[in-house]
């Protein structure tokens, strides 16, 4: 692995993929943007123009303007050829589809970052790569959350309202962290190393906030089509108490696994405190700065439930059972989501068994994420460097 400025591939065509590509290009990196062929219309205008217009809130400290991209393509080989770091910036349910497409094109010294993490993300990504002609696994990482709070403002433009500092990234297995983090810090200097992927599996804030606020505002969503401010109006004091109760359950699971997780209520200031500290916007909290304009989803059948319950709450409940932590709020939210949408998220969601780790007990699970040993799970590779 070289130590000059890395070339970066952004895999995905959504809001955050645009933000990654535009910001890093403006910062001087060579950036490629890739979308799978069936979703190519999402990047068609960017491909026509050759770049993306970035519109950051001044409080972020990011520089806006036109971001010229090196390549905009639906050819995975073209995107990854010569790339040092690839950020997979797609929802949890799409990560394996991208793994299948890029598998023949990744190489051992590349770094692949799932942004953000999902339960079992790096492990299942590795399994999928190996099943689809990947000859040598890359360094695999999971980001705790998306580094940008953003929304597309057009077919080739994106607005960024928040940029996270102090975000944590886990390397799988964690024994490779010292090789990977210096390279990632060339791209995002404030990134910090997480203990291991168990930490990131339990640290994405979306399942903490999205399902409770959505479920407890069901009537308002259905009546208005989501025409209200999700975080500032939807999270009343009572709703906030449910969010905090769910978070206490999550923290208890982490503690039972020997992990010190960050309480949800501390994350906004940790990540966005640099924005509220800027002279020109004194008096506005980080929460008001970043989340003030975000409206609710237009309908209940949205990723706030269909992603954050099966890929967040369901596996958290499963981990709770493994370590003997009761999670009544988590269980109730899953049950309510099932009833409201007429689905069985426990049947479709992720569990330890579904990612090939169902026979593992806590010591084996820790050994896997820290060392890459797979004594009880032949489907997961033994990572050797």
């Amino acid at each position: 692995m070289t130590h000059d400025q890395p070339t970066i591939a952004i895999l995905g065509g959504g809001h955050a993929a645009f933000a990654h590509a535009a910001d890093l290009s403006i910062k001087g990196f060579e950036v490629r943007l890739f979308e799978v062929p069936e979703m190519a219309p999402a990047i068609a205008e960017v491909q026509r123009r050759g770049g993306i217009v970035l519109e950051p809130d001044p409080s972020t400290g990011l520089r806006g303007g036109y971001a010229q991209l090196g390549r905009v393509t639906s050819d995975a080989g073209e995107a990854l050829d010569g790339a040092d770091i690839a950020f997979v910036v797609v929802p949890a349910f799409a990560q394996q589809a991208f793994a299948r497409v890029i598998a023949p094109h990744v190489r051992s010294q590349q770094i692949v970052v799932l942004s953000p993490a999902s339960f079992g993300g790096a492990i299942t990504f590795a399994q999928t790569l190996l099943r689809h002609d990947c000859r040598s696994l890359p360094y695999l990482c999971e980001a705790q959350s998306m580094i940008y709070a953003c929304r597309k403002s057009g077919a080739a433009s994106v607005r960024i309202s928040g940029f996270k500092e102090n975000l944590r990234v886990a390397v799988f297995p964690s024994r490779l962290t010292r090789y990977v983090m210096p390279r990632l810090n060339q791209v995002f200097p404030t990134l910090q190393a997480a203990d291991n992927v168990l930490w990131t599996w339990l640290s994405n804030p979306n399942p903490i906030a999205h399902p409770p606020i959505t479920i407890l505002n069901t009537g308002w969503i259905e009546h208005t089509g989501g025409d209200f401010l999700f975080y500032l109006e939807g999270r009343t004091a009572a709703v906030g108490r449910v969010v905090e109760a769910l978070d206490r359950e999550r923290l208890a699971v982490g503690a039972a696994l020997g992990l010190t997780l960050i309480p949800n209520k501390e994350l906004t200031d940790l990540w966005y405190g640099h924005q509220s500290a800027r002279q020109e916007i004194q008096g506005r909290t980080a929460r008001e700065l970043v989340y003030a304009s975000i409206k609710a989803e237009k309908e209940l059948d949205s990723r706030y439930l269909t992603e954050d319950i099966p890929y967040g709450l369901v596996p958290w409940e499963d981990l709770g059972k493994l370590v003997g932590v009761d999670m009544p709020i988590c269980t109730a939210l899953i049950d309510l989501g099932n009833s409201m949408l007429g689905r069985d998220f426990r049947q479709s969601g992720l569990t330890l068994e579904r990612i090939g780790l169902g026979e593992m007990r806590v010591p084996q699970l820790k050994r896997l994420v820290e060392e890459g040993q797979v004594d009880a799970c032949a489907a997961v590779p033994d990572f050797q460097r």
Side-chain angles (χ1 to χ4, degrees):
M1 186 180 293
T2 61
H3 293 282
D4 54 350
Q5 182 163 277
T7 296
I8 298 168
I10 305 300
L11 312 184
H15 306 291
F18 274 32
H20 277 75
D23 178 43
L24 294 178
S25 174
I26 287 175
K27 287 176 175 174
F29 296 93
E30 181 186 339
V31 178
R32 296 90 176 269
L33 180 65
F34 166 80
E35 180 60 283
V36 291
E38 57 267 32
M39 298 296 292
I43 61 169
E45 186 62 16
V46 178
Q47 194 168 40
R48 188 184 73 81
R49 297 186 186 187
I52 297 170
V53 175
L54 177 59
E55 305 162 351
D57 187 284
S59 67
T60 63
L62 303 179
R63 184 161 56 92
Y66 176 72
Q68 180 75 41
L69 302 183
R71 302 173 189 173
V72 183
T73 179
S74 292
D75 183 321
E78 183 181 10
L80 289 171
D81 182 35
D84 300 293
I85 302 174
F87 290 92
V88 183
V89 192
V90 298
F93 55 76
Q95 288 178 353
Q96 302 317 307
F98 273 74
R100 289 192 292 271
V101 172
I102 70 171
H105 308 288
V106 297
R107 54 185 175 81
S108 62
Q109 294 302 301
Q110 287 176 317
I111 297 171
V112 174
V113 183
L114 304 182
S115 180
S118 63
F119 180 82
I123 291 176
T124 56
F125 205 87
Q127 292 170 339
T128 304
L129 288 176
L130 291 173
R131 285 196 299 266
H132 291 83
D133 301 324
C134 175
R135 296 183 179 180
S136 185
L137 286 168
Y139 293 93
L140 287 165
C141 313
E142 298 182 353
Q144 171 188 7
S145 178
M146 204 77 72
I147 199 165
Y148 304 94
C150 57
R151 289 290 187 275
K152 287 184 184 179
S153 54
S157 59
V158 64
R159 293 193 182 101
I160 296 177
S161 61
F163 176 75
K164 297 179 180 71
E165 293 189 349
N166 306 307
L167 191 72
R168 296 197 187 187
V169 174
V171 181
F172 176 67
S174 59
R175 64 182 174 83
L176 301 177
T177 300
R178 62 194 175 101
Y179 300 109
V180 176
M181 286 305 298
R183 196 62 164 157
L184 292 180
N185 284 140
Q186 288 184 276
V187 183
F188 294 116
T190 68
L191 286 180
Q192 299 181 16
D195 294 349
N196 52 49
V197 294
L198 290 175
W199 196 97
T200 49
W201 293 0
L202 285 163
S203 294
N204 187 326
N206 288 348
I208 304 168
H210 290 167
I213 299 175
T214 299
I215 289 170
L216 296 174
N217 283 278
T218 293
W220 204 1
I221 292 171
E222 291 186 322
H223 182 68
T224 69
D227 190 19
F228 64 94
L229 299 176
F230 184 75
Y231 295 101
L232 297 192
E233 296 177 324
R235 181 172 171 162
T236 62
V239 173
R241 287 193 289 272
V242 175
V243 172
E244 294 307 315
L246 174 63
D247 196 46
R248 287 192 294 272
E249 295 177 358
R250 176 187 69 93
L251 295 173
V253 173
L257 287 167
L259 302 170
T260 302
L261 305 179
I262 301 171
N264 180 63
K265 62 185 178 182
E266 297 178 12
L267 287 178
T268 301
D269 286 336
L270 177 67
W271 287 341
Y272 301 120
H274 67 103
Q275 294 187 223
S276 58
R278 292 181 180 278
Q279 182 68 32
E280 63 270 23
I281 44 84
Q282 281 185 345
R284 297 175 67 192
T285 67
R287 183 167 176 253
E288 289 170 335
L289 277 168
V290 178
Y291 300 122
S293 64
I294 297 178
K295 289 192 172 185
E297 297 291 287
K298 294 181 180 180
E299 56 186 10
L300 294 175
D301 193 350
S302 75
R303 65 183 181 89
Y304 282 9
L305 298 184
T306 60
E307 179 179 4
D308 291 330
I309 293 179
Y311 293 89
L313 298 187
V314 167
W316 288 359
E317 181 187 55
D318 194 47
L319 276 176
K321 293 176 181 177
L322 176 67
V323 297
V325 171
D326 191 28
M327 305 185 74
I329 300 298
C330 182
T331 295
L333 290 168
I334 297 169
D335 290 340
L336 287 169
N338 286 345
S339 296
M340 289 163 53
L341 295 180
R343 301 181 189 179
D344 186 346
F345 285 121
R346 290 188 182 88
Q347 183 62 37
S348 62
L350 291 179
T351 63
L352 289 167
E353 183 177 358
R354 291 196 185 101
I355 64 172
L357 310 181
E359 299 301 317
M360 285 193 174
R361 303 280 70 83
V362 172
Q364 294 170 299
L365 191 59
K366 287 183 176 181
R367 185 182 179 199
L368 170 65
V369 301
E370 292 168 3
E371 300 295 333
Q373 302 300 320
V374 291
D375 296 350
C377 184
V380 181
D382 183 359
F383 286 71
Q384 300 294 336
R385 285 288 186 267

